Amino acid sequence: MSESEPARIRVMVVDDHPLWRDAVEHDLAQAGLDVVAVAATGREALARFPAARPEVVVLDLQIPAPDGVEVTAEIVRQDPSVRVLILSASGEHADVLAAVKAGATGYLVKSASREELLTAVRRVAQGDPVFTPGLAGLVLGEFQRMSDEPTPGRDAQTLTERETEVLKMVAKGLSYRQIAERLVLSHRTVQNHVQNTLGKLQMHNRVELTRYAIEHGLDDD
Amino acid sequence: MFRALAVLRLVVLVNTVVLNLLRADEFQRPAAGAACVAVMIVWTGFTIWAYDDRERRTFPLLVADLAVALALLLVTPVVKGADYSSSVPGFWVMGALFAWAIHYRLVGGLVAGLLLAAADLQRQHIDASDYGNAFLLVIGGPIVGYMCDSLQRMATERDVAEREAAMAAERARLARAVHDGVLQVLALVQRRGHELGGEAAELGRLAGEQERELRGLIHAQEAVTVVGDAESVDLVAELARLEHGQNVTVATPGSPVELPAATARELVAVARACLDNVRVHVGDDAPAWVLLQAFADRVELSVRDDGPGIATGRLEEAASQGRLGVAESIRGRIADLGGTAELATGSFGTEWEFVVPRSSPDLT
């Protein structure tokens, strides 16, 4: 092992399906990643998270309580630098969107191949959001919904024209490289645009949650 | 219902007692009059207690209630003399009337109303207001009875609806758990099969097909529970079904996109035609992407592939040979929906973009 080799990515796998959890763990370990913890339920995940200190959490949404969305919100609150990659079997729109709003930065359906999973974990670890076309479509729809139903007196987060354009291309299945070529931008700029859209969505969510808390007096105690 | 009646009984009791005190000089037999008022006070207290419990609301109680009211009306000539102008119980008889209406509904209200009206009209001089009061008794009883019946039926229907909604939600929750488990296994088989190769790869491919199929059905089923209107269709659910092919990815908003059924079906058919075209010209395994965006006034649908693009001149060539190419047929179908179709093709692939208004096209 030479010292120049990059540190192994520390990953935690949360899935209540033992076969599946083992398969993911096996794949990640074989590819040289460091699986520092596994968990079968939301409770286990939250209990093991602080000690394991993973960089990336590969998380199934449908787990025994607390569910994947709540786990995402809680671990991101504890450690804002952690990256959450959602791995969902059913890909239910509402759940995926909720998880992304709660702070997840990547989403894959479970039918993704081993290579796709590994690439996704590595990219998420670097801070790149992993968008499937499906997720991009959901996020586009969500921003459209927010601008269609503006709440009086409240500024909805809106996307710039460029961000919308980039997100639309992601939703149409273009890779970042293809988008960069078409728009004559650098690969990095395309990534930044995508990252910003997620950031805005999560910001909107935080603002909404804070407003809700204030309006309902949850900040009193 | 009987709680409200208890309040009404108190109100009419107070009214009757006060009126009797004010007209105390009308009584020919003041002692008997005082006894009548006492009976009303005691009986009101008793009935409020008695009707409070469902168990005690029996036929004998209702008969007794009505009998007391009738008796008080019938003894009025004795207490006040034959030539009285107002009966001793007055409006107090409402208590018994509404008890019958609430308990025995329309028929109960009618029976009690008729009996009370008959008893009230046993007087020597019947003027217009006496007749009016009697008429109100006969009308009021059945109306209150009828309304109680409707209220009861509505409450029952609401309970049933609430129960059904709760059951449907629970079923959906259970179904989600089951579906998720099945999808997990299918995805796993697909993944492992692919890695093992050989016959296992074939199993994996089949599992993958089923997984996509099931996911599409689940999305479609979700939409069914949201939409009850047969006239409109959720385009998101309809498009989700296109995903069953190995290489088609469908991206949509997270919430249903309602469109008139005919428009939605036509859009899906057009998308399918585009995808068929991809299979024919690019290859069976060629990946393709479908994107739906919904705006307040329109929907935008795009179908894209990564193929070599349509060779320059091929469309023109088809047109000059008098063949209506697939492209022209697609354009025509979108134009029929009042929308526009744009085709971009080149080395980057082929991309259709359709913009269709959300309201149905003017068919006149």
Side-chain angles (χ1 to χ4, degrees):
Chain A
M1 294 285 150
S2 69
E3 284 181 10
S4 64
E5 192 182 335
R8 294 165 75 199
I9 302 170
R10 301 164 59 82
V11 189
M12 177 169 173
V13 180
V14 184
D15 198 313
D16 61 330
H17 206 289
L19 264 177
W20 184 262
R21 193 173 59 234
D22 293 348
V24 171
E25 188 187 353
H26 177 254
D27 287 347
L28 294 175
Q30 211 179 31
L33 284 82
D34 188 6
V35 180
V36 290
V38 293
T41 68
R43 207 177 306 281
E44 277 179 23
L46 291 180
R48 292 172 194 176
F49 175 75
R53 301 172 44 78
E55 294 159 72
V56 177
V57 177
V58 177
L59 179 66
D60 184 9
L61 282 181
Q62 311 277 340
I63 48 171
D67 67 21
V69 176
E70 291 169 71
V71 169
T72 303
E74 178 55 25
I75 63 178
V76 170
R77 192 189 63 77
Q78 284 182 18
D79 176 7
S81 73
V82 73
R83 307 295 172 190
V84 179
L85 174 64
I86 299 296
L87 202 53
S88 162
S90 43
E92 292 214 25
H93 291 165
D95 295 344
V96 174
L97 211 49
V100 168
K101 283 179 172 180
T105 53
Y107 160 62
L108 274 187
V109 285
K110 282 196 168 170
S111 47
S113 70
R114 185 169 168 274
E115 292 70 36
E116 283 175 299
L117 172 69
L118 290 171
T119 313
V121 172
R122 292 203 173 102
R123 281 179 49 200
V124 166
Q126 286 167 15
D128 288 347
V130 171
F131 261 68
T132 57
L135 177 56
L138 291 181
V139 173
L140 268 178
E142 190 63 8
F143 276 106
Q144 187 59 41
R145 193 186 59 79
M146 289 191 296
S147 75
D148 281 347
E149 308 163 359
T151 335
R154 297 177 177 180
D155 297 328
Q157 294 278 348
T158 50
L159 295 180
T160 64
E161 236 169 85
R162 209 3 102 70
E163 283 164 354
T164 309
E165 197 176 12
V166 169
L167 199 54
K168 205 172 152 183
M169 288 185 162
V170 176
K172 286 177 179 174
L174 276 83
S175 67
Y176 290 176
R177 188 182 49 77
Q178 288 171 310
I179 297 171
E181 264 172 34
R182 272 222 217 170
L183 298 179
V184 199
L185 295 172
S186 76
H187 189 269
R188 189 68 240 169
T189 312
V190 173
Q191 280 182 340
N192 284 343
H193 283 309
V194 175
Q195 216 155 5
N196 287 347
T197 59
L198 269 197
K200 284 182 180 178
L201 194 61
Q202 286 158 7
M203 177 62 74
H204 179 79
N205 191 44
R206 272 198 292 279
V207 170
E208 286 301 304
L209 286 176
T210 313
R211 275 195 184 118
Y212 182 88
I214 292 169
E215 278 166 15
H216 292 77
L218 300 181
D219 56 336
D220 289 346
D221 42 28
Chain B
M1 217 65 108
F2 281 100
R3 290 270 156 79
L5 181 59
V7 177
L8 180 69
R9 278 183 195 271
L10 281 176
V11 172
V12 292
L13 175 69
V14 169
N15 173 59
T16 304
V17 169
V18 170
L19 282 180
N20 275 310
L21 286 176
L22 290 176
R23 295 172 186 159
D25 52 330
E26 287 179 16
F27 285 105
Q28 284 188 351
R29 300 173 191 210
C36 287
V37 172
V39 165
M40 283 191 279
I41 293 172
V42 172
W43 188 253
T44 302
F46 169 73
T47 48
I48 288 174
W49 168 81
Y51 281 109
D52 194 44
D53 188 343
R54 182 184 292 274
E55 300 276 296
R56 291 191 290 261
R57 287 173 213 152
T58 55
F59 185 62
L61 174 67
L62 281 137
V63 168
D65 197 10
L66 186 59
V68 170
L70 288 171
L72 285 167
L73 284 174
L74 293 174
V75 299
T76 300
V78 182
V79 181
K80 285 194 166 183
D83 194 20
Y84 66 95
S85 63
S86 59
S87 67
V88 176
F91 286 126
W92 185 79
V93 299
M94 250 195 252
L97 174 71
F98 288 158
W100 275 69
I102 293 170
H103 204 73
Y104 296 118
R105 306 291 146 82
L106 194 149
V107 174
L110 182 64
V111 168
L114 282 173
L115 287 173
L116 288 167
D120 192 39
L121 293 178
Q122 298 292 321
R123 54 179 89 193
Q124 277 186 336
H125 302 290
I126 299 172
D127 60 24
S129 78
D130 293 330
Y131 175 75
N133 286 341
F135 185 69
L136 279 182
L137 284 172
V138 178
I139 290 294
I143 286 179
V144 171
Y146 176 74
M147 289 201 321
C148 283
D149 207 27
S150 312
L151 277 177
Q152 184 73 50
R153 208 171 309 146
M154 266 153 57
T156 313
E157 279 166 12
R158 190 203 53 206
D159 287 350
V160 169
E162 276 175 359
R163 220 175 7 252
E164 274 171 6
M167 270 156 55
E170 177 62 9
R171 262 199 294 273
R173 197 187 62 78
L174 290 174
R176 256 203 296 282
V178 173
H179 292 150
D180 194 66
V182 176
L183 287 171
Q184 303 250 22
V185 175
L186 286 175
L188 190 65
V189 171
Q190 179 190 10
R191 200 151 169 274
R192 275 285 173 254
H194 183 69
E195 284 164 22
L196 290 172
E199 274 181 43
E202 175 64 11
L203 283 179
R205 197 186 58 74
L206 289 173
E209 262 173 32
Q210 287 306 307
E211 188 236 323
R212 276 165 181 259
E213 190 99 16
L214 179 57
R215 195 136 31 91
L217 283 174
I218 292 170
H219 285 171
Q221 180 214 23
E222 271 171 24
V224 168
T225 51
V226 178
V227 187
D229 190 356
E231 297 292 299
S232 65
V233 167
D234 175 20
L235 188 55
V236 171
E238 297 294 314
L239 286 175
R241 279 187 247 255
L242 294 177
E243 232 184 14
H244 66 77
Q246 248 322 333
N247 299 299
V248 179
T249 307
V250 178
T252 63
S255 38
V257 175
E258 302 276 322
L259 282 184
T263 310
R265 265 196 292 277
E266 190 65 5
L267 272 174
V268 173
V270 167
R272 190 167 280 134
C274 293
L275 293 173
D276 287 344
N277 229 14
V278 173
R279 248 193 305 276
V280 172
H281 290 292
V282 187
D284 268 342
D285 296 333
W289 293 269
V290 176
L291 169 65
L292 171 70
Q293 283 186 282
F295 302 88
D297 58 335
R298 66 188 193 281
V299 295
E300 292 187 13
L301 182 69
S302 95
V303 183
R304 193 185 78 84
D305 69 59
D306 255 347
I310 302 172
T312 347
R314 206 183 77 210
L315 294 176
E316 289 75 11
E317 188 188 326
S320 67
Q321 288 171 355
R323 284 191 286 123
L324 185 63
V326 177
E328 282 318 301
S329 122
I330 287 172
R331 275 186 217 281
R333 295 166 84 167
I334 294 296
D336 286 346
L337 295 173
T340 57
E342 262 182 58
L343 175 63
T345 180
S347 57
F348 53 85
T350 303
E351 180 173 341
W352 280 101
E353 273 214 325
F354 310 116
V355 181
V356 172
R358 289 191 80 156
S359 54
S360 45
D362 199 0
L363 296 173
T364 52

